[in-house]
Amino acid sequence: IMIYPAKKYDYNKKGLLEFINLLFNSKLDGNEKKYYLVNNYNITMTRELDEEMIKMCNLSQGIKEEGIAKGRAEGRAEEKVNSAKKYINNLIKTKNMTFDEAVDILEIEKEIVEIIKKEME
């Protein structure tokens, strides 16, 4: 069974989709989730359940932060490649250098030289 969540939920309603979204919504912190669980779904918040809620909220926050960090790293890597291509092209055009000569002068990291070479071909 696949469930397609809506973009927005009214957590004051007591439906199954609201409940599932409430549990997995990374925009709500643990205290907000506990509030709705206790007040709208009459769930008794035991210490064990409270600890599990904290773990679950920390996990979703960790996944979110990991995704953001990965996106930033990919953006920096792409920026590095584009910048290197620009300088290599400049040296090739203005100084009549070969690709390899330009790479040597600029001391481009070996990991990205092949990427740049393929993109410039």
Side-chain angles (χ1 to χ4, degrees):
I1 296 174
M2 295 184 82
I3 298 173
Y4 296 95
K7 299 220 183 262
K8 192 172 182 180
Y9 282 97
D10 178 3
Y11 293 117
N12 292 314
K13 289 184 178 180
K14 298 176 183 175
L16 176 63
L17 292 177
E18 285 80 12
F19 180 75
I20 291 171
N21 187 272
L22 173 66
L23 292 177
F24 295 103
N25 188 336
S26 63
K27 294 178 184 170
L28 296 175
D29 67 21
N31 290 327
E32 290 174 298
K33 289 179 183 184
K34 286 188 271 187
Y35 171 82
Y36 288 116
L37 289 172
V38 169
N39 293 310
N40 293 359
Y41 295 95
N42 298 322
I43 294 176
T44 304
M45 195 56 62
T46 63
R47 184 162 47 141
E48 181 181 352
L49 186 58
D50 188 51
E51 289 172 2
E52 291 300 319
M53 284 290 298
I54 291 169
K55 283 182 197 175
M56 189 175 78
C57 291
N58 288 343
L59 175 64
S60 67
Q61 184 63 29
I63 291 169
K64 181 179 176 181
E65 288 172 4
E66 185 178 303
I68 290 169
K70 182 178 178 184
R72 286 183 180 150
E74 288 173 2
R76 284 191 298 271
E78 186 176 335
E79 186 178 308
K80 187 184 270 187
V81 168
N82 289 336
S83 179
K85 282 191 328 190
K86 176 182 166 188
Y87 292 119
I88 290 169
N89 268 330
N90 191 20
L91 286 175
I92 290 171
K93 288 178 183 175
T94 60
K95 302 295 182 186
N96 294 322
M97 292 185 175
T98 66
F99 177 85
D100 292 330
E101 290 171 333
V103 166
D104 287 341
I105 285 176
L106 294 170
E107 298 177 353
I108 304 294
E109 299 168 24
K110 291 178 183 175
E111 297 83 27
I112 64 171
V113 169
E114 288 303 314
I115 296 168
I116 295 168
K117 195 172 199 173
K118 285 179 186 176
E119 288 185 12
M120 290 180 68
E121 289 177 346

